[in-house]
Amino acid sequence: MTSEANSIDLTQPQGPVLVVGGAGYIGSHCVALLQRRGVEVAVFDDLSTGHAEAISAPLVVGSLGDREAIAAALEAHRPSAVIHFAAKCYVGESVTDPAIYYRENVHYTWNLLEEMRAASVSDIVFSSTCATYGEPREVPIPDDHPQDPINPYGRTKLHMEHMMRDYSRAYGMRYAALRYFNAAGAATAGGIGEDHSPETHLIPLVLEVALGQREKIMVFGDDYETRDGTCIRDYIHVDDLGDAHLRALAHLQAGRGDLECHLGTGNGFTVMEIIEAAREITGQAIPAEVVARREGDPAMLVAGGSRAFDVLGWRPARGDVRDVIRDAWAFHSAHPSGYAAG
Ligand code: UDP
């Protein structure tokens, strides 16, 4: 069968593009990729968690809570499309303080959509999450798995998806909702990477232990029904995520319809396997201690299905988790204090 994706060059979206949340971890990698493909980019970011040092594109420092600031950025940069990464993304915080998540993920996205509508910008690609699926009923998880999130973070992301769908039907907005599995790694070209505060993600924490910044890595439970008892996740390279966003945008621009799909490699690794791979790559001992399970962690989250493969012709280029850890290590060892140290 000839893939539909072959008939058009989906690696080349048309600009200019406004990247909202473009100074953050995934956003900054997407900005760098767009620039490498010659697309004109501007970034809108409140720098609450992002880093100006992570981008070399025009930056509008503003909040999505400020409709006038959004309108001014759209007026100044006249984008033909928006890629929207700005969101709160800590599950635990969303449970203890859901108001922040409903305000910043749902209300602020509504602000953005309204200003896009006013400025006649119809195309949007945005970050969703496999957390919208909730407790998986089957693994690998298909793209059309029922969406039944189990925490406020996942619920706000699902609200965002529903908003886009309704705006598409009613106002002709064109959208791609990309549901990520575990974003990890750092730009293969170097220079940018992951710098969260606080850091909660497994791979950067493991590498902080390798750097001697933490004494040991806590393994959250080893009594799951998996091959070594620790949780299995699908770690996807951040450059591969960026590539999928560019393809999704080109897909919308080609008039090929809205898209909802997830982005994962289809390969799952246990926590212990990640730690072991990091030991090999860094040459450090990386002490680990098994502690209690973390609340809300499903045993296994791995992408199945192939909508992004079929529709976008997308394949993870860095699909081996060792490559993901190697690139992350290159960034962390060169920037042991993140962007703060320059
Ligand atoms: N994890 C762990 N110790 C840590 C951080 C994470 O054992 O200090 C485990 C976590 O329980 C999960 C996996 O590593 O099974 C990936 O967690 P992460 O927070 O990176 O991403 P999540 O899957 O929660 O989005």
PDB file of all heavy atoms in Angstrom, residues 111-148:
ATOM      1  N   ASN A 111      -8.333  31.322  26.080  1.00  0.00           N
ATOM      2  CA  ASN A 111      -7.870  32.671  25.704  1.00  0.00           C
ATOM      3  C   ASN A 111      -7.115  32.632  24.379  1.00  0.00           C
ATOM      4  O   ASN A 111      -7.337  33.463  23.494  1.00  0.00           O
ATOM      5  CB  ASN A 111      -6.898  33.225  26.765  1.00  0.00           C
ATOM      6  CG  ASN A 111      -7.603  33.722  28.014  1.00  0.00           C
ATOM      7  OD1 ASN A 111      -8.822  33.882  28.026  1.00  0.00           O
ATOM      8  ND2 ASN A 111      -6.822  33.965  29.057  1.00  0.00           N
ATOM      9  N   LEU A 112      -6.223  31.662  24.271  1.00  0.00           N
ATOM     10  CA  LEU A 112      -5.405  31.558  23.054  1.00  0.00           C
ATOM     11  C   LEU A 112      -6.295  31.294  21.837  1.00  0.00           C
ATOM     12  O   LEU A 112      -6.148  31.938  20.791  1.00  0.00           O
ATOM     13  CB  LEU A 112      -4.367  30.438  23.229  1.00  0.00           C
ATOM     14  CG  LEU A 112      -3.506  30.116  22.018  1.00  0.00           C
ATOM     15  CD1 LEU A 112      -2.647  31.314  21.600  1.00  0.00           C
ATOM     16  CD2 LEU A 112      -2.601  28.904  22.292  1.00  0.00           C
ATOM     17  N   LEU A 113      -7.220  30.356  21.967  1.00  0.00           N
ATOM     18  CA  LEU A 113      -8.090  30.025  20.833  1.00  0.00           C
ATOM     19  C   LEU A 113      -8.939  31.229  20.430  1.00  0.00           C
ATOM     20  O   LEU A 113      -9.144  31.486  19.242  1.00  0.00           O
ATOM     21  CB  LEU A 113      -9.000  28.837  21.172  1.00  0.00           C
ATOM     22  CG  LEU A 113      -8.319  27.504  21.462  1.00  0.00           C
ATOM     23  CD1 LEU A 113      -9.361  26.388  21.562  1.00  0.00           C
ATOM     24  CD2 LEU A 113      -7.284  27.141  20.398  1.00  0.00           C
ATOM     25  N   GLU A 114      -9.422  31.972  21.423  1.00  0.00           N
ATOM     26  CA  GLU A 114     -10.238  33.139  21.107  1.00  0.00           C
ATOM     27  C   GLU A 114      -9.428  34.200  20.364  1.00  0.00           C
ATOM     28  O   GLU A 114      -9.897  34.805  19.399  1.00  0.00           O
ATOM     29  CB  GLU A 114     -10.825  33.728  22.393  1.00  0.00           C
ATOM     30  CG  GLU A 114     -12.005  32.930  22.903  1.00  0.00           C
ATOM     31  CD  GLU A 114     -13.150  32.925  21.888  1.00  0.00           C
ATOM     32  OE1 GLU A 114     -13.841  33.932  21.766  1.00  0.00           O
ATOM     33  OE2 GLU A 114     -13.320  31.894  21.201  1.00  0.00           O
ATOM     34  N   GLU A 115      -8.185  34.414  20.808  1.00  0.00           N
ATOM     35  CA  GLU A 115      -7.366  35.422  20.121  1.00  0.00           C
ATOM     36  C   GLU A 115      -6.940  34.932  18.743  1.00  0.00           C
ATOM     37  O   GLU A 115      -6.825  35.726  17.806  1.00  0.00           O
ATOM     38  CB  GLU A 115      -6.157  35.817  20.981  1.00  0.00           C
ATOM     39  CG  GLU A 115      -6.529  36.597  22.230  1.00  0.00           C
ATOM     40  CD  GLU A 115      -7.367  37.852  21.951  1.00  0.00           C
ATOM     41  OE1 GLU A 115      -7.222  38.461  20.878  1.00  0.00           O
ATOM     42  OE2 GLU A 115      -8.197  38.202  22.819  1.00  0.00           O
ATOM     43  N   MET A 116      -6.721  33.632  18.604  1.00  0.00           N
ATOM     44  CA  MET A 116      -6.422  33.091  17.263  1.00  0.00           C
ATOM     45  C   MET A 116      -7.613  33.304  16.340  1.00  0.00           C
ATOM     46  O   MET A 116      -7.465  33.693  15.182  1.00  0.00           O
ATOM     47  CB  MET A 116      -6.094  31.594  17.351  1.00  0.00           C
ATOM     48  CG  MET A 116      -4.729  31.287  17.939  1.00  0.00           C
ATOM     49  SD  MET A 116      -4.475  29.510  18.149  1.00  0.00           S
ATOM     50  CE  MET A 116      -4.539  28.919  16.451  1.00  0.00           C
ATOM     51  N   ARG A 117      -8.812  33.075  16.880  1.00  0.00           N
ATOM     52  CA  ARG A 117     -10.024  33.253  16.074  1.00  0.00           C
ATOM     53  C   ARG A 117     -10.156  34.717  15.638  1.00  0.00           C
ATOM     54  O   ARG A 117     -10.438  34.999  14.476  1.00  0.00           O
ATOM     55  CB  ARG A 117     -11.222  32.850  16.936  1.00  0.00           C
ATOM     56  CG  ARG A 117     -12.400  32.352  16.168  1.00  0.00           C
ATOM     57  CD  ARG A 117     -13.172  31.373  17.017  1.00  0.00           C
ATOM     58  NE  ARG A 117     -13.915  31.972  18.096  1.00  0.00           N
ATOM     59  CZ  ARG A 117     -15.165  32.419  17.990  1.00  0.00           C
ATOM     60  NH1 ARG A 117     -15.786  32.373  16.832  1.00  0.00           N
ATOM     61  NH2 ARG A 117     -15.780  32.909  19.038  1.00  0.00           N
ATOM     62  N   ALA A 118      -9.885  35.621  16.582  1.00  0.00           N
ATOM     63  CA  ALA A 118      -9.996  37.054  16.265  1.00  0.00           C
ATOM     64  C   ALA A 118      -8.977  37.455  15.197  1.00  0.00           C
ATOM     65  O   ALA A 118      -9.224  38.338  14.380  1.00  0.00           O
ATOM     66  CB  ALA A 118      -9.792  37.879  17.540  1.00  0.00           C
ATOM     67  N   ALA A 119      -7.814  36.782  15.209  1.00  0.00           N
ATOM     68  CA  ALA A 119      -6.748  37.134  14.260  1.00  0.00           C
ATOM     69  C   ALA A 119      -6.786  36.246  13.006  1.00  0.00           C
ATOM     70  O   ALA A 119      -5.868  36.309  12.181  1.00  0.00           O
ATOM     71  CB  ALA A 119      -5.388  37.000  14.958  1.00  0.00           C
ATOM     72  N   SER A 120      -7.826  35.414  12.900  1.00  0.00           N
ATOM     73  CA  SER A 120      -7.977  34.502  11.744  1.00  0.00           C
ATOM     74  C   SER A 120      -6.774  33.570  11.557  1.00  0.00           C
ATOM     75  O   SER A 120      -6.323  33.331  10.440  1.00  0.00           O
ATOM     76  CB  SER A 120      -8.212  35.290  10.450  1.00  0.00           C
ATOM     77  OG  SER A 120      -9.364  36.067  10.567  1.00  0.00           O
ATOM     78  N   VAL A 121      -6.249  33.067  12.675  1.00  0.00           N
ATOM     79  CA  VAL A 121      -5.206  32.035  12.619  1.00  0.00           C
ATOM     80  C   VAL A 121      -5.910  30.723  12.950  1.00  0.00           C
ATOM     81  O   VAL A 121      -6.457  30.565  14.042  1.00  0.00           O
ATOM     82  CB  VAL A 121      -4.083  32.300  13.652  1.00  0.00           C
ATOM     83  CG1 VAL A 121      -3.032  31.203  13.597  1.00  0.00           C
ATOM     84  CG2 VAL A 121      -3.453  33.668  13.408  1.00  0.00           C
ATOM     85  N   SER A 122      -5.921  29.796  12.005  1.00  0.00           N
ATOM     86  CA  SER A 122      -6.787  28.626  12.228  1.00  0.00           C
ATOM     87  C   SER A 122      -6.055  27.339  12.598  1.00  0.00           C
ATOM     88  O   SER A 122      -6.668  26.396  13.066  1.00  0.00           O
ATOM     89  CB  SER A 122      -7.653  28.376  10.990  1.00  0.00           C
ATOM     90  OG  SER A 122      -6.818  28.138   9.881  1.00  0.00           O
ATOM     91  N   ASP A 123      -4.739  27.288  12.396  1.00  0.00           N
ATOM     92  CA  ASP A 123      -4.041  26.003  12.593  1.00  0.00           C
ATOM     93  C   ASP A 123      -3.316  25.947  13.933  1.00  0.00           C
ATOM     94  O   ASP A 123      -2.529  26.835  14.262  1.00  0.00           O
ATOM     95  CB  ASP A 123      -3.012  25.777  11.478  1.00  0.00           C
ATOM     96  CG  ASP A 123      -3.675  25.585  10.122  1.00  0.00           C
ATOM     97  OD1 ASP A 123      -4.908  25.401  10.092  1.00  0.00           O
ATOM     98  OD2 ASP A 123      -2.962  25.616   9.103  1.00  0.00           O
ATOM     99  N   ILE A 124      -3.545  24.864  14.672  1.00  0.00           N
ATOM    100  CA  ILE A 124      -2.862  24.712  15.969  1.00  0.00           C
ATOM    101  C   ILE A 124      -2.463  23.253  16.194  1.00  0.00           C
ATOM    102  O   ILE A 124      -3.250  22.341  15.972  1.00  0.00           O
ATOM    103  CB  ILE A 124      -3.740  25.249  17.132  1.00  0.00           C
ATOM    104  CG1 ILE A 124      -2.977  25.147  18.466  1.00  0.00           C
ATOM    105  CG2 ILE A 124      -5.089  24.547  17.206  1.00  0.00           C
ATOM    106  CD1 ILE A 124      -3.592  25.978  19.594  1.00  0.00           C
ATOM    107  N   VAL A 125      -1.218  23.090  16.604  1.00  0.00           N
ATOM    108  CA  VAL A 125      -0.708  21.776  17.011  1.00  0.00           C
ATOM    109  C   VAL A 125      -0.446  21.898  18.503  1.00  0.00           C
ATOM    110  O   VAL A 125       0.154  22.883  18.937  1.00  0.00           O
ATOM    111  CB  VAL A 125       0.611  21.430  16.283  1.00  0.00           C
ATOM    112  CG1 VAL A 125       1.184  20.109  16.792  1.00  0.00           C
ATOM    113  CG2 VAL A 125       0.382  21.377  14.773  1.00  0.00           C
ATOM    114  N   PHE A 126      -0.903  20.952  19.303  1.00  0.00           N
ATOM    115  CA  PHE A 126      -0.684  21.144  20.733  1.00  0.00           C
ATOM    116  C   PHE A 126      -0.357  19.857  21.468  1.00  0.00           C
ATOM    117  O   PHE A 126      -0.649  18.751  21.010  1.00  0.00           O
ATOM    118  CB  PHE A 126      -1.864  21.887  21.360  1.00  0.00           C
ATOM    119  CG  PHE A 126      -3.012  21.018  21.743  1.00  0.00           C
ATOM    120  CD1 PHE A 126      -3.218  20.658  23.059  1.00  0.00           C
ATOM    121  CD2 PHE A 126      -3.885  20.557  20.788  1.00  0.00           C
ATOM    122  CE1 PHE A 126      -4.280  19.868  23.425  1.00  0.00           C
ATOM    123  CE2 PHE A 126      -4.948  19.759  21.134  1.00  0.00           C
ATOM    124  CZ  PHE A 126      -5.151  19.409  22.459  1.00  0.00           C
ATOM    125  N   SER A 127       0.262  20.061  22.639  1.00  0.00           N
ATOM    126  CA  SER A 127       0.724  18.971  23.491  1.00  0.00           C
ATOM    127  C   SER A 127      -0.427  18.382  24.256  1.00  0.00           C
ATOM    128  O   SER A 127      -0.992  19.052  25.117  1.00  0.00           O
ATOM    129  CB  SER A 127       1.677  19.483  24.570  1.00  0.00           C
ATOM    130  OG  SER A 127       2.580  20.405  24.098  1.00  0.00           O
ATOM    131  N   SER A 128      -0.740  17.143  23.979  1.00  0.00           N
ATOM    132  CA  SER A 128      -1.618  16.430  24.883  1.00  0.00           C
ATOM    133  C   SER A 128      -0.782  15.320  25.533  1.00  0.00           C
ATOM    134  O   SER A 128       0.453  15.368  25.490  1.00  0.00           O
ATOM    135  CB  SER A 128      -2.847  15.893  24.157  1.00  0.00           C
ATOM    136  OG  SER A 128      -3.758  15.380  25.111  1.00  0.00           O
ATOM    137  N   THR A 129      -1.415  14.374  26.123  1.00  0.00           N
ATOM    138  CA  THR A 129      -0.650  13.422  26.924  1.00  0.00           C
ATOM    139  C   THR A 129      -1.344  12.066  26.974  1.00  0.00           C
ATOM    140  O   THR A 129      -2.587  11.999  26.908  1.00  0.00           O
ATOM    141  CB  THR A 129      -0.495  13.956  28.365  1.00  0.00           C
ATOM    142  OG1 THR A 129      -0.017  12.905  29.203  1.00  0.00           O
ATOM    143  CG2 THR A 129      -1.811  14.445  28.950  1.00  0.00           C
ATOM    144  N   CYS A 130      -0.559  11.025  27.135  1.00  0.00           N
ATOM    145  CA  CYS A 130      -1.163   9.701  27.308  1.00  0.00           C
ATOM    146  C   CYS A 130      -1.852   9.605  28.663  1.00  0.00           C
ATOM    147  O   CYS A 130      -2.590   8.650  28.905  1.00  0.00           O
ATOM    148  CB  CYS A 130      -0.136   8.596  27.105  1.00  0.00           C
ATOM    149  SG  CYS A 130       1.110   8.503  28.370  1.00  0.00           S
ATOM    150  N   ALA A 131      -1.653  10.637  29.536  1.00  0.00           N
ATOM    151  CA  ALA A 131      -2.406  10.671  30.802  1.00  0.00           C
ATOM    152  C   ALA A 131      -3.898  10.856  30.549  1.00  0.00           C
ATOM    153  O   ALA A 131      -4.713  10.633  31.449  1.00  0.00           O
ATOM    154  CB  ALA A 131      -1.891  11.786  31.710  1.00  0.00           C
ATOM    155  N   THR A 132      -4.288  11.252  29.326  1.00  0.00           N
ATOM    156  CA  THR A 132      -5.731  11.363  29.040  1.00  0.00           C
ATOM    157  C   THR A 132      -6.377   9.978  28.937  1.00  0.00           C
ATOM    158  O   THR A 132      -7.595   9.869  29.001  1.00  0.00           O
ATOM    159  CB  THR A 132      -6.017  12.129  27.721  1.00  0.00           C
ATOM    160  OG1 THR A 132      -5.367  11.453  26.640  1.00  0.00           O
ATOM    161  CG2 THR A 132      -5.536  13.570  27.793  1.00  0.00           C
ATOM    162  N   TYR A 133      -5.573   8.926  28.775  1.00  0.00           N
ATOM    163  CA  TYR A 133      -6.158   7.580  28.687  1.00  0.00           C
ATOM    164  C   TYR A 133      -6.528   7.040  30.065  1.00  0.00           C
ATOM    165  O   TYR A 133      -7.367   6.152  30.170  1.00  0.00           O
ATOM    166  CB  TYR A 133      -5.182   6.596  28.024  1.00  0.00           C
ATOM    167  CG  TYR A 133      -4.838   6.948  26.593  1.00  0.00           C
ATOM    168  CD1 TYR A 133      -3.517   7.078  26.177  1.00  0.00           C
ATOM    169  CD2 TYR A 133      -5.838   7.132  25.644  1.00  0.00           C
ATOM    170  CE1 TYR A 133      -3.194   7.400  24.865  1.00  0.00           C
ATOM    171  CE2 TYR A 133      -5.523   7.459  24.331  1.00  0.00           C
ATOM    172  CZ  TYR A 133      -4.208   7.599  23.954  1.00  0.00           C
ATOM    173  OH  TYR A 133      -3.901   7.917  22.663  1.00  0.00           O
ATOM    174  N   GLY A 134      -5.866   7.537  31.108  1.00  0.00           N
ATOM    175  CA  GLY A 134      -6.105   7.010  32.449  1.00  0.00           C
ATOM    176  C   GLY A 134      -5.473   5.642  32.612  1.00  0.00           C
ATOM    177  O   GLY A 134      -4.466   5.323  31.979  1.00  0.00           O
ATOM    178  N   GLU A 135      -6.061   4.832  33.458  1.00  0.00           N
ATOM    179  CA  GLU A 135      -5.555   3.466  33.699  1.00  0.00           C
ATOM    180  C   GLU A 135      -5.776   2.655  32.419  1.00  0.00           C
ATOM    181  O   GLU A 135      -6.911   2.470  31.989  1.00  0.00           O
ATOM    182  CB  GLU A 135      -6.336   2.852  34.858  1.00  0.00           C
ATOM    183  CG  GLU A 135      -5.742   1.603  35.451  1.00  0.00           C
ATOM    184  CD  GLU A 135      -4.400   1.838  36.121  1.00  0.00           C
ATOM    185  OE1 GLU A 135      -4.272   2.800  36.916  1.00  0.00           O
ATOM    186  OE2 GLU A 135      -3.479   1.058  35.825  1.00  0.00           O
ATOM    187  N   PRO A 136      -4.687   2.194  31.763  1.00  0.00           N
ATOM    188  CA  PRO A 136      -4.889   1.542  30.468  1.00  0.00           C
ATOM    189  C   PRO A 136      -5.670   0.233  30.579  1.00  0.00           C
ATOM    190  O   PRO A 136      -5.444  -0.551  31.491  1.00  0.00           O
ATOM    191  CB  PRO A 136      -3.470   1.280  29.963  1.00  0.00           C
ATOM    192  CG  PRO A 136      -2.578   1.439  31.127  1.00  0.00           C
ATOM    193  CD  PRO A 136      -3.272   2.275  32.139  1.00  0.00           C
ATOM    194  N   ARG A 137      -6.609   0.054  29.654  1.00  0.00           N
ATOM    195  CA  ARG A 137      -7.386  -1.194  29.615  1.00  0.00           C
ATOM    196  C   ARG A 137      -6.676  -2.223  28.762  1.00  0.00           C
ATOM    197  O   ARG A 137      -6.971  -3.401  28.815  1.00  0.00           O
ATOM    198  CB  ARG A 137      -8.789  -0.922  29.075  1.00  0.00           C
ATOM    199  CG  ARG A 137      -9.546  -0.005  30.017  1.00  0.00           C
ATOM    200  CD  ARG A 137     -10.880   0.444  29.469  1.00  0.00           C
ATOM    201  NE  ARG A 137     -11.258   1.693  30.140  1.00  0.00           N
ATOM    202  CZ  ARG A 137     -12.360   2.369  29.885  1.00  0.00           C
ATOM    203  NH1 ARG A 137     -13.226   1.946  28.990  1.00  0.00           N
ATOM    204  NH2 ARG A 137     -12.613   3.492  30.527  1.00  0.00           N
ATOM    205  N   GLU A 138      -5.788  -1.760  27.872  1.00  0.00           N
ATOM    206  CA  GLU A 138      -4.942  -2.684  27.124  1.00  0.00           C
ATOM    207  C   GLU A 138      -3.594  -2.021  26.872  1.00  0.00           C
ATOM    208  O   GLU A 138      -3.512  -0.799  26.725  1.00  0.00           O
ATOM    209  CB  GLU A 138      -5.598  -3.110  25.794  1.00  0.00           C
ATOM    210  CG  GLU A 138      -5.905  -1.976  24.867  1.00  0.00           C
ATOM    211  CD  GLU A 138      -6.542  -2.429  23.549  1.00  0.00           C
ATOM    212  OE1 GLU A 138      -5.900  -3.183  22.797  1.00  0.00           O
ATOM    213  OE2 GLU A 138      -7.673  -2.002  23.282  1.00  0.00           O
ATOM    214  N   VAL A 139      -2.536  -2.834  26.873  1.00  0.00           N
ATOM    215  CA  VAL A 139      -1.174  -2.354  26.627  1.00  0.00           C
ATOM    216  C   VAL A 139      -0.525  -3.327  25.651  1.00  0.00           C
ATOM    217  O   VAL A 139      -0.626  -4.544  25.881  1.00  0.00           O
ATOM    218  CB  VAL A 139      -0.342  -2.307  27.932  1.00  0.00           C
ATOM    219  CG1 VAL A 139       1.039  -1.728  27.651  1.00  0.00           C
ATOM    220  CG2 VAL A 139      -1.035  -1.487  29.003  1.00  0.00           C
ATOM    221  N   PRO A 140       0.135  -2.880  24.583  1.00  0.00           N
ATOM    222  CA  PRO A 140       0.303  -1.491  24.162  1.00  0.00           C
ATOM    223  C   PRO A 140      -1.034  -0.772  23.943  1.00  0.00           C
ATOM    224  O   PRO A 140      -2.018  -1.388  23.538  1.00  0.00           O
ATOM    225  CB  PRO A 140       1.074  -1.609  22.844  1.00  0.00           C
ATOM    226  CG  PRO A 140       1.689  -2.971  22.847  1.00  0.00           C
ATOM    227  CD  PRO A 140       0.808  -3.841  23.676  1.00  0.00           C
ATOM    228  N   ILE A 141      -1.010   0.530  24.207  1.00  0.00           N
ATOM    229  CA  ILE A 141      -2.225   1.342  24.170  1.00  0.00           C
ATOM    230  C   ILE A 141      -2.487   1.802  22.733  1.00  0.00           C
ATOM    231  O   ILE A 141      -1.627   2.436  22.127  1.00  0.00           O
ATOM    232  CB  ILE A 141      -2.038   2.570  25.090  1.00  0.00           C
ATOM    233  CG1 ILE A 141      -1.734   2.114  26.528  1.00  0.00           C
ATOM    234  CG2 ILE A 141      -3.253   3.473  25.039  1.00  0.00           C
ATOM    235  CD1 ILE A 141      -1.350   3.244  27.475  1.00  0.00           C
ATOM    236  N   PRO A 142      -3.668   1.497  22.198  1.00  0.00           N
ATOM    237  CA  PRO A 142      -3.964   1.976  20.835  1.00  0.00           C
ATOM    238  C   PRO A 142      -4.321   3.467  20.826  1.00  0.00           C
ATOM    239  O   PRO A 142      -4.736   4.013  21.850  1.00  0.00           O
ATOM    240  CB  PRO A 142      -5.163   1.123  20.417  1.00  0.00           C
ATOM    241  CG  PRO A 142      -5.819   0.718  21.689  1.00  0.00           C
ATOM    242  CD  PRO A 142      -4.760   0.679  22.758  1.00  0.00           C
ATOM    243  N   ASP A 143      -4.170   4.105  19.666  1.00  0.00           N
ATOM    244  CA  ASP A 143      -4.506   5.537  19.558  1.00  0.00           C
ATOM    245  C   ASP A 143      -5.963   5.816  19.923  1.00  0.00           C
ATOM    246  O   ASP A 143      -6.285   6.905  20.385  1.00  0.00           O
ATOM    247  CB  ASP A 143      -4.303   6.028  18.113  1.00  0.00           C
ATOM    248  CG  ASP A 143      -2.843   6.096  17.714  1.00  0.00           C
ATOM    249  OD1 ASP A 143      -2.169   7.064  18.105  1.00  0.00           O
ATOM    250  OD2 ASP A 143      -2.379   5.183  17.012  1.00  0.00           O
ATOM    251  N   ASP A 144      -6.829   4.825  19.672  1.00  0.00           N
ATOM    252  CA  ASP A 144      -8.254   5.070  19.939  1.00  0.00           C
ATOM    253  C   ASP A 144      -8.695   4.474  21.274  1.00  0.00           C
ATOM    254  O   ASP A 144      -9.880   4.210  21.493  1.00  0.00           O
ATOM    255  CB  ASP A 144      -9.119   4.551  18.790  1.00  0.00           C
ATOM    256  CG  ASP A 144      -8.894   3.056  18.553  1.00  0.00           C
ATOM    257  OD1 ASP A 144      -8.089   2.447  19.292  1.00  0.00           O
ATOM    258  OD2 ASP A 144      -9.533   2.503  17.640  1.00  0.00           O
ATOM    259  N   HIS A 145      -7.757   4.276  22.177  1.00  0.00           N
ATOM    260  CA  HIS A 145      -8.089   3.824  23.532  1.00  0.00           C
ATOM    261  C   HIS A 145      -9.051   4.829  24.171  1.00  0.00           C
ATOM    262  O   HIS A 145      -8.888   6.036  23.996  1.00  0.00           O
ATOM    263  CB  HIS A 145      -6.787   3.738  24.344  1.00  0.00           C
ATOM    264  CG  HIS A 145      -6.957   3.123  25.700  1.00  0.00           C
ATOM    265  ND1 HIS A 145      -7.504   3.806  26.767  1.00  0.00           N
ATOM    266  CD2 HIS A 145      -6.651   1.890  26.161  1.00  0.00           C
ATOM    267  CE1 HIS A 145      -7.526   3.010  27.822  1.00  0.00           C
ATOM    268  NE2 HIS A 145      -7.014   1.844  27.480  1.00  0.00           N
ATOM    269  N   PRO A 146     -10.058   4.365  24.931  1.00  0.00           N
ATOM    270  CA  PRO A 146     -10.959   5.322  25.595  1.00  0.00           C
ATOM    271  C   PRO A 146     -10.173   6.291  26.479  1.00  0.00           C
ATOM    272  O   PRO A 146      -9.191   5.903  27.116  1.00  0.00           O
ATOM    273  CB  PRO A 146     -11.856   4.422  26.451  1.00  0.00           C
ATOM    274  CG  PRO A 146     -11.719   3.057  25.895  1.00  0.00           C
ATOM    275  CD  PRO A 146     -10.388   2.967  25.218  1.00  0.00           C
ATOM    276  N   GLN A 147     -10.627   7.527  26.506  1.00  0.00           N
ATOM    277  CA  GLN A 147      -9.947   8.545  27.320  1.00  0.00           C
ATOM    278  C   GLN A 147     -10.712   8.739  28.620  1.00  0.00           C
ATOM    279  O   GLN A 147     -11.852   9.220  28.609  1.00  0.00           O
ATOM    280  CB  GLN A 147      -9.834   9.855  26.547  1.00  0.00           C
ATOM    281  CG  GLN A 147      -8.827   9.745  25.400  1.00  0.00           C
ATOM    282  CD  GLN A 147      -8.755  11.011  24.591  1.00  0.00           C
ATOM    283  OE1 GLN A 147      -9.695  11.344  23.886  1.00  0.00           O
ATOM    284  NE2 GLN A 147      -7.652  11.716  24.690  1.00  0.00           N
ATOM    285  N   ASP A 148     -10.095   8.335  29.730  1.00  0.00           N
ATOM    286  CA  ASP A 148     -10.751   8.368  31.030  1.00  0.00           C
ATOM    287  C   ASP A 148      -9.698   8.721  32.086  1.00  0.00           C
ATOM    288  O   ASP A 148      -9.305   7.886  32.904  1.00  0.00           O
ATOM    289  CB  ASP A 148     -11.355   6.961  31.290  1.00  0.00           C
ATOM    290  CG  ASP A 148     -12.224   6.940  32.520  1.00  0.00           C
ATOM    291  OD1 ASP A 148     -12.539   8.015  33.057  1.00  0.00           O
ATOM    292  OD2 ASP A 148     -12.579   5.829  32.958  1.00  0.00           O
TER     293      ASP A 148
END
